[in-house]
Every structure is written in C-alpha cells, then in structure tokens.
Amino acid sequence: MDIGWIDDLIALEEHRTLAQAAAARHVTQPAFSRRIAAIEEWCGATLVDRSRRPLRLRPEAQSLLPDLRSAASSLHQLREDLRRSQAEGARMIIAAQHSLAISLMPRIYCHLDAVLPSALVRLRSLNRSEGLVLLLTGAADVLICHETDRHPLALGAIDVERLWLEEDQLVPVAGQRGVVEQARDSIARDQALDLPGVLYPTDTFLGRVLRDECLPALPPGVTVSARVETALTPAVARLVAGRGLVCWLPKSMIARDLEAGTLCSMEKELGTVRLKANAVRTLGRASSSTDRLWECLRSMDKRPVRRDMTSATAADHLRG
C-alpha cells in the first residue's frame, strides 16, 4: 500500500469533490479517481459513496478516519526520522511490540546507554504486523517482537539477522482471585464454565496465538467469551485488573502485577504458551550507529546468531 493513499482518502473526505481533492493532492482529477479506485481494489471494499453529491466516504470508512489520520501522521514522521537519522548518523529507530516496549526496552536501553550515551533512540510501540511493515520499508532499524514456534514472523524471501533476547510465556490471568477459584472448582468437578474475557482481534499476532494455541488447549467444558476486544496489551492489563475478567498477557510484562496481586495467574488451571522475544533486522541497510545497536543487543543474546531465508509471499509480510 502507498502511504499517499491514506492522504487521498482524507483529502476526499475534507474537500468532498474529486476536483478539489485532486487539486489538494496536486494531481489531475482522472488520476485522482484512478488512485481512489486502486485503494478500493487493494482493500477489497467500496469506500466511497458515489451516489451522493458532494461525495462522501461510506460510514464504515468514515469511522476509520481518526485511525487513518494517526497512521498517516506516524508514517510521515517515521519517514522524516529516517531521513534525519541517515544525515545525523546517531539516531536509531526501534519498533517494538507494546508488551516488549514495557518489559524489555528499559533493559535494552540500559545496555545501550552504557555503550552509546549520546545516541538518540526513537521507540515506536505498536503491533507486530505494524512493526514488520516499518522494518521491511526501512522506517525502523530493528524490530523487537514475540514469536512462537507455530506463529513465527513471516519474512518472505528477505535476508534477515535474528537475535534471541529472552524466553517468555503467554499466561492466562484473572482480575479477581474468586475467578481463579471458580475455574479451579469447575475443572475439578468437570462442570461447564464460560469465563468473560478481554481478547485480541484475530488479525493480530496475539489474537492468532490465542485462537490457535491457547483456547484449543483449555480444559474440557471451559470456554471464554469476549467482553472487550483490543490489540493494545497495556489496555488489556488495566481492563482486567480488579474485575471478574480473564485475559492472556506476556508474563514478563505483568510480573509486578502478579506479585502485587492486582492480576492473578491461572497458569495451573488454563496452561501457558511459550513465547520467544527476538530482535530482527534486515541485512544491507545498516549504518555505523545501527551496527553498534545490534552489537548491544547481541551482548544480551547467549545463543549463536543465525540468518533466516524463507519463501513466503509478499502478502505474508503484511499478515505476519
């Protein structure tokens, strides 16, 4: 997808006519019409209500405008950061999953600050698939993400270097001790139990892990029904804390919550899934500062370095 497509949709909604939107985007009206058609073809959905004058985006597209504006702003900022980093040579952009930005990045920064105390690190906290896009487009120097054996990062035919950073677990937790006791009792009595939960969208990494690895492994008769759905792990933790809800979170992220009792582990009752926290970079794009960043990360990895070559399609890059 072209970043400019997002700006095209925003321009169409703001100006309401093809002519004015095209002028704002500095293209001819026919060219602008073709670009809107290309966006719809890429999305596989009709985004513009052409039966109305002035033109409007369809309601479902309008509802996404805040996210589109935020995405466009972030991507343009990232592009500018990349240009500046190449000019300045001492700026590093790290894309990290939300949970790892909380649990692992403070330790990484301590290592990095000892080696490069004057370096500027720009941290982008996001979902794994968004981080992969930034890595593959060169808008991030390094991606720090979780993987499982069943759900590795889909890199396609891209030559990358991967560092293992730490072992983790995706653990089920409840916001109240009573939920754990209720589950334990129902499992012991072989009784059906439906637990209300905060779950992840199935088009996200943790959503797929939950769907394919966590929920199928629940004890017989135990199910989980979504009360809230979000991809933002810090929000999941706060939504569940103190409430009669369950969720699955990386254990490293919630160690303090488990110790304080604001979240209660259900590992014994519902099981866990092994997570690997890895750092990934594409080869052939490194600068001297990113090489030093990589060496800093390597010092945290006690395993041999390996380069990965896979044969997934380009579409897999965006689904990973």
Side-chain angles (χ1 to χ4, degrees):
M1 182 177 181
D2 186 336
I3 298 174
W5 287 357
I6 300 176
D7 295 323
D8 290 341
L9 288 175
I10 294 173
L12 182 59
E13 180 62 19
E14 289 178 347
H15 295 280
R16 303 291 177 84
T17 71
L18 287 173
Q20 292 180 10
R25 298 290 292 137
H26 307 292
V27 296
T28 65
Q29 183 172 329
F32 187 79
S33 297
R34 289 194 296 270
R35 285 164 65 158
I36 295 297
I39 299 170
E40 292 179 318
E41 181 178 356
W42 184 86
C43 294
T46 301
L47 303 178
V48 179
D49 184 354
R50 293 174 173 79
S51 65
R52 300 182 57 179
R53 291 293 184 276
L55 293 177
R56 294 294 303 275
L57 295 180
R58 293 175 65 87
E60 55 271 25
Q62 288 183 33
S63 68
L64 295 175
L65 278 175
D67 291 334
L68 289 173
R69 287 191 173 94
S70 175
S73 175
S74 296
L75 288 169
H76 285 301
Q77 182 63 52
L78 281 168
R79 183 169 60 185
E80 183 62 25
D81 289 343
L82 184 61
R83 289 171 177 168
R84 288 178 181 173
S85 68
Q86 289 177 342
E88 297 169 6
R91 180 173 299 192
M92 309 161 197
I93 304 176
I94 300 176
Q97 280 181 256
H98 297 298
S99 59
L100 291 170
I102 293 172
S103 65
L104 190 54
M105 274 304 302
R107 278 180 281 154
I108 291 175
Y109 182 72
C110 283
H111 280 265
L112 186 60
D113 190 43
V115 179
L116 295 171
S118 61
L120 172 60
V121 178
R122 191 171 292 278
L123 173 63
R124 298 300 183 187
S125 175
L126 28 65
N127 296 328
R128 192 179 80 161
S129 59
E130 297 169 333
L132 180 57
V133 171
L134 299 188
L135 179 70
L136 295 180
T137 58
D141 300 309
V142 173
L143 170 62
I144 296 175
C145 65
H146 278 129
E147 300 182 73
T148 71
D149 292 337
R150 188 168 176 180
H151 292 283
L153 200 62
L155 293 162
I158 304 296
D159 196 5
V160 303
E161 195 171 6
R162 178 189 266 108
L163 292 173
W164 178 90
L165 299 178
E166 70 173 11
E167 195 82 10
D168 205 346
Q169 289 178 303
L170 188 63
V171 298
V173 295
Q176 296 176 351
R177 176 61 57 184
V179 176
V180 182
E181 296 171 353
Q182 180 187 17
R184 186 179 303 146
D185 184 64
S186 296
I187 293 169
R189 295 173 180 271
D190 200 23
Q191 294 177 337
L193 176 65
D194 185 54
L195 296 167
V198 179
L199 305 183
Y200 302 104
T202 56
D203 61 348
T204 64
F205 163 67
L206 287 179
R208 291 192 292 273
V209 174
L210 194 64
R211 178 195 64 196
D212 298 336
E213 303 186 52
C214 300
L215 298 182
L218 292 177
V222 177
T223 57
V224 179
S225 297
R227 296 295 185 271
V228 181
E229 189 177 272
T230 178
L232 188 63
T233 47
V236 172
R238 300 283 69 84
L239 284 165
V240 170
R243 297 181 174 87
L245 299 168
V246 302
C247 67
W248 276 257
L249 288 163
K251 193 170 186 177
S252 61
M253 173 187 163
I254 55 171
R256 292 182 181 178
D257 296 277
L258 293 173
E259 184 177 351
T262 52
L263 292 174
C264 307
S265 173
M266 300 186 73
E267 297 177 52
K268 294 180 180 179
E269 292 75 23
L270 305 184
T272 66
V273 170
R274 176 173 171 261
L275 294 174
K276 294 174 287 185
N278 292 324
V280 183
R281 70 168 176 172
T282 56
L283 297 178
R285 291 180 178 165
S287 64
S288 59
S289 59
T290 56
D291 279 340
R292 284 181 286 178
L293 166 62
W294 195 251
E295 288 306 312
C296 174
L297 295 172
R298 193 196 303 277
S299 71
M300 302 177 63
D301 181 11
K302 305 306 180 185
R303 302 187 191 187
V305 177
R306 76 173 189 264
R307 294 183 181 182
D308 292 344
M309 286 293 291
T310 57
S311 58
T313 65
D316 290 328
H317 300 171
L318 302 183
R319 291 199 297 265

